[in-house]
Amino acid sequence: MASGRVDLDGKPIKPMTICMIGAGGFIGSHLCEKLMSETPHTVLALDVYNDKIKHLLEPNTLPWAGRIQFHRLNIKHDSRLEGLIKIADLTINLAAICTPADYNTRPLDTIYSNFIDALPVVKYCSENNKRLIHFSTCEVYGKTVGSFLPKDSPLRKDPAYYVLKEDESPCIFGSIEKQRWSYACAKQLIERLIYAEGAENGLEFTIVRPFNWIGPRMDFIPGVDGPSEGVPRVLACFSNNLLRGEPLKLVDGGQSQRTFVYIKDAIEAVLLMIENPARANGHIFNVGNPNNEVTVRQLAEMMTQVYTKVSGEAPPEKPTIDVSSKEFYGEGYDDSDKRIPDMTIINRQLGWNPKTSLWDLLESTLTYQHRTYAEAIKKVIAKPVAS
Ligand SMILES: NC(=O)c1ccc[n+]([C@@H]2O[C@H](COP(=O)([O-])OP(=O)(O)OC[C@H]3O[C@@H](n4cnc5c(N)ncnc54)[C@H](O)[C@@H]3O)[C@@H](O)[C@H]2O)c1
Ligand SMILES: O=c1ccn([C@@H]2O[C@H](COP(=O)(O)OP(=O)(O)O[C@H]3OC[C@](O)(CO)[C@H]3O)[C@@H](O)[C@H]2O)c(=O)[nH]1
């Protein structure tokens, strides 16, 4: 492993120490796995939880033992943060509240998590001349320009009205009462702050805008490894419905469109950013798969077909039900209509392209969901409710 590795310009890659904040989450766990199995880099993994990276931390006979250290800390209030950033060559900040069910119901926590709590990270990187890769979101684009055109306008079919470009597209959010946008707005402001630190103080930064990365270990299954009343992102919501044999809930008719990219493809892009600073610094990158676009209704249908195949179980009698966004998410919810990433910049700088089709990524992900949760769900369903 690892010796003789070169970057995109043919230069040898030196082993580095990476301070990864939010390493215990969905993306962090896959990034840690990749760094441990394919590179010589060392990871200081910071998070309040480590369940999703336990398999990388124990036993201490693992081939990478000594190259990953877990630090249980909350960046809101922990004086160890600056010291850990100082001893690393690069900081990657993944920490955030990033589930839409929280944006309108816990807007203060959402804004603090995505803006205020990220401030010291940016400050310590800037003051100590440390490189920063910060995770933002495709949600900073908000709604497409095309969504404001009349429903029958032929311009709605023109990519100029919906393809999202890092250096051209505006950020279009709803009104302040639509608290859904608290997250996107906080992410936009931290992006602007990082950009300004780069321009005025020379901070070396890269901003990542993930477009619906999905795969194993995403979020939780309510009542199994997360709260019964919790609402995770759509992959886990639909997985939960399929595991329980209940209809998949389509919010406001399931008409919104998304492009989904396989986590393992996306992690390849992040590794290119980590190991090619000269090509990645100063850039904002869309990371998504424009070829994997579906409406949420189509996603529900495809997940049902795939789950039937991988589990051998019959599909739910009633495959989907419609539910209003107010009922599902509460007051203040709003939605992005369509998300197609423009790939010009990431292609030009890093030569990265996603590979995995939506069907294939759902097949491997739902196989994982079935193996991991089917038995546990049966037990939960069989358990009599306490009176
Ligand atoms: N998954 C996606 O498709 C996607 C899309 C857009 C943006 N993002 C962004 O990527 C990042 C990672 O997303 P994810 O999907 O892995 O989410 P995740 O919730 O699985 O991971 C976030 C991790 O950060 C940790 N964390 C949060 N606050 C913390 C704090 N104060 N101190 C220490 N740790 C803290 C959490 O415990 C969690 O393990 C987030 O910034 C998110 O906004 C992800
Ligand atoms: O049971 C459900 C759950 C959700 N929906 C609808 O699916 C769409 C996608 O929902 P989700 O993946 O949960 O979230 P978003 O794509 O809206 O937002 C995420 O994008 C990136 C990120 O920043 C981090 O992951 C986050 O904000 C949506 O239209 C829901 O209404 C459903 O119909 N049924």
Side-chain angles (χ1 to χ4, degrees):
M1 179 265 306
S3 66
R5 297 173 70 250
V6 292
D7 68 14
L8 291 172
D9 298 304
K11 296 199 183 113
I13 297 168
K14 289 196 198 124
M16 59 184 111
T17 298
I18 300 170
C19 172
M20 195 189 300
I21 307 168
F26 163 58
I27 295 176
S29 71
H30 286 273
L31 187 52
C32 287
E33 245 172 31
K34 183 87 171 173
L35 289 165
M36 290 306 107
S37 60
E38 291 181 28
T39 80
H41 308 310
T42 295
V43 174
L44 310 175
L46 282 53
D47 206 305
V48 280
Y49 305 111
N50 68 7
D51 321 34
K52 294 184 185 187
I53 52 169
K54 271 244 161 77
H55 61 293
L56 300 172
L57 303 172
E58 292 162 7
N60 61 10
T61 47
L62 287 166
W64 47 78
R67 280 202 294 116
I68 181 162
Q69 279 172 23
F70 178 66
H71 298 261
R72 192 179 300 279
L73 62 82
N74 186 331
I75 58 164
K76 274 183 195 296
H77 42 67
D78 200 302
S79 57
R80 288 173 291 169
L81 180 62
E82 184 171 13
L84 291 165
I85 289 176
K86 271 187 180 171
I87 57 172
D89 302 294
L90 161 70
T91 293
I92 301 180
N93 189 9
L94 295 148
I97 287 177
C98 54
T99 35
D102 292 318
Y103 308 162
N104 58 315
T105 55
R106 299 170 56 205
L108 281 178
D109 288 340
T110 300
I111 294 167
Y112 270 76
S113 170
N114 284 284
F115 181 66
I116 307 285
D117 300 346
L119 285 175
V121 177
V122 180
K123 181 171 166 264
Y124 297 148
C125 287
S126 191
E127 287 174 356
N128 294 290
N129 296 318
K130 297 292 180 179
R131 189 179 167 219
L132 171 66
I133 298 182
H134 185 83
F135 272 70
S136 180
T137 173
C138 57
E139 284 217 11
V140 295
Y141 295 108
K143 298 171 186 247
T144 63
V145 177
S147 69
F148 294 89
L149 292 167
K151 286 265 176 293
D152 57 355
S153 168
L155 291 177
R156 276 181 174 252
K157 297 215 160 60
D158 180 343
Y161 291 84
Y162 61 79
V163 173
L164 303 167
K165 299 188 177 185
E166 297 93 327
D167 50 355
E168 283 182 29
S169 300
C171 303
I172 309 175
F173 305 150
S175 63
I176 302 299
E177 306 90 79
K178 298 286 185 199
Q179 297 204 75
R180 154 58 184 261
W181 302 109
S182 59
Y183 166 78
C185 197
K187 286 280 202 197
Q188 187 199 148
L189 190 55
I190 199 75
E191 278 200 23
R192 290 191 187 275
L193 183 102
I194 292 168
Y195 196 89
E197 278 289 347
E200 292 188 31
N201 295 326
L203 172 68
E204 289 184 345
F205 74 86
T206 301
I207 290 170
V208 188
R209 291 182 179 167
F211 279 63
N212 293 76
W213 300 7
I214 60 175
R217 296 196 292 272
M218 185 166 198
D219 298 337
F220 57 91
I221 296 299
V224 179
D225 55 2
S228 312
E229 300 307 314
V231 181
R233 286 169 284 188
V234 68
L235 174 82
C237 285
F238 285 173
S239 300
N240 182 38
N241 299 144
L242 290 164
L243 284 155
R244 291 171 189 269
E246 62 190 29
L248 281 60
K249 292 182 177 159
L250 297 178
V251 172
D252 292 339
Q255 291 313 301
S256 296
Q257 290 167 289
R258 294 289 187 272
T259 50
F260 293 95
V261 65
Y262 191 34
I263 183 70
K264 292 188 193 298
D265 288 355
I267 290 295
E268 296 272 352
V270 182
L271 186 58
L272 286 168
M273 293 174 206
I274 293 172
E275 298 193 323
N276 291 276
R279 288 167 176 260
N281 283 348
H283 288 284
I284 300 177
F285 291 114
N286 286 344
V287 182
N289 188 337
N291 304 317
N292 281 349
E293 190 186 34
V294 277
T295 63
V296 174
R297 180 179 289 278
Q298 288 166 335
L299 175 72
E301 288 163 0
M302 197 185 281
M303 282 183 66
T304 306
Q305 277 180 40
V306 172
Y307 191 70
T308 304
K309 180 180 167 196
V310 300
S311 68
E313 281 165 25
E317 246 168 63
K318 189 172 163 48
T320 58
I321 48 166
D322 285 344
V323 51
S324 75
S325 54
K326 191 167 169 192
E327 207 182 315
F328 193 79
Y329 287 113
E331 202 69 62
Y333 182 75
D334 199 0
D335 208 354
S336 298
D337 52 303
K338 185 173 174 77
R339 287 184 185 155
I340 306 261
D342 182 84
M343 305 295 288
T344 313
I345 297 183
I346 193 154
N347 252 288
R348 185 189 66 213
Q349 294 302 118
L350 302 171
W352 177 81
N353 279 302
K355 301 182 198 105
T356 314
S357 69
L358 187 55
W359 179 276
D360 288 352
L361 76 84
L362 288 177
E363 203 166 302
S364 53
T365 305
L366 292 181
T367 300
Y368 170 89
Q369 302 288 59
H370 185 67
R371 283 198 195 128
T372 311
Y373 293 110
E375 284 309 310
I377 289 271
K378 275 190 199 135
K379 283 189 194 139
V380 170
I381 292 172
K383 209 168 159 185
V385 184
S387 56

